[in-house]
Amino acid sequence: MSTNFSDDEETIIQEPRLWRDERWTAQVIKNEDDEGWAVAMTLKGESEPALVGPWTMGRDKKNPKPLDAAAFHTLVKTASEVLRRHEQQLHAKLHKHVSVDTAEGRVKVMLDIVPDDDNPYATLTAQNDMGEQIAQARVQASYRLSETSAAAWIEGGFGKP
C-alpha cells in the first residue's frame, strides 16, 4: 500500500476510496482476510498506517461505501487517539518513578530509559521534596526500579546501584 506522501506534497484529495488532508490519508483497501473492505489511516511522513479497520460495504454488497467528510473526520479522530495512547504507553514504559520516605524527607527516584538500538541505557535520578536533584547515576536499561531498589540506592549513599 502506498499511502504516504512527501513532505512537500499537500494535495487535498476527496475521492470515493482515497481522502487526504494536510496530515492524514484514508485509503479504502481490499481486506485480504475475507471478501470485505478495510480502511487504512496513515499520518503524513509515516510508512505504516496508524489504524487499519473494517470498512462498510456499499449498497451493491460488492464495492465499498465511498468515503465522505463525516467518515474521514471520525477516522482522523480515532487514528489520532490510537497514536496518543501508543505514545502514553511508550512514555510509561520509558519513564518510571517511585517515592521513598527517608529520615531527611521524601525522595523521588526516577528511571528514564534511553532505547538506543546500539547502546540502550537508563538514568536513575533522585530528587528531594523541593524537586532539586540530589543524585544521578547511569544504569543498564534493564534496571528494575522498585521502592526496594530505590531505598537500597539511597541507603547506599547513591553509589553505583
Side-chain angles (χ1 to χ4, degrees):
M1 175 175 40
S2 142
T3 58
N4 61 327
F5 40 95
S6 66
D7 287 339
D8 60 342
E9 184 178 348
E10 294 197 19
T11 306
I12 294 175
I13 299 172
Q14 295 180 345
E15 297 175 357
R17 293 190 190 176
L18 179 68
W19 273 59
R20 177 181 297 151
D21 68 7
E22 301 84 23
R23 296 188 65 223
W24 288 97
T25 298
Q27 184 174 22
V28 176
I29 54 177
K30 186 77 174 132
N31 188 340
E32 297 174 14
D33 295 336
D34 64 22
E35 296 179 16
W37 294 87
V39 63
M41 291 296 294
T42 306
L43 186 61
K44 182 177 181 178
E46 296 294 322
S47 60
E48 295 294 320
L51 173 73
V52 177
W55 188 245
T56 309
M57 296 289 272
R59 291 184 184 192
D60 65 4
K61 303 295 181 205
K62 294 180 183 172
N63 294 306
K65 178 181 164 188
L67 286 164
D68 60 25
F72 181 74
H73 292 300
T74 299
L75 288 165
V76 166
K77 183 177 178 183
T78 303
S80 297
E81 180 64 21
V82 167
L83 288 181
R84 190 179 70 76
R85 274 184 272 156
H86 176 72
E87 288 168 359
Q88 287 175 334
Q89 289 172 335
L90 182 60
H91 185 271
K93 182 179 175 183
L94 298 177
H95 306 282
K96 300 177 182 186
H97 70 273
V98 297
S99 293
V100 178
D101 289 320
T102 69
E104 291 80 32
R106 189 173 202 92
V107 177
K108 180 178 180 182
V109 177
M110 297 163 291
L111 178 70
D112 295 302
I113 300 171
V114 179
D116 186 285
D117 286 338
D118 298 324
N119 187 24
Y121 66 93
T123 303
L124 201 57
T125 306
Q127 290 181 344
N128 62 18
D129 275 337
M130 308 290 268
E132 299 166 331
Q133 181 176 310
I134 53 178
Q136 191 169 61
R138 186 172 170 147
V139 296
Q140 292 185 0
S142 60
Y143 182 85
R144 298 279 181 216
L145 178 63
S146 66
E147 286 185 37
T148 304
S149 65
W153 184 49
I154 294 165
E155 290 166 12
F158 301 106
K160 185 80 175 151

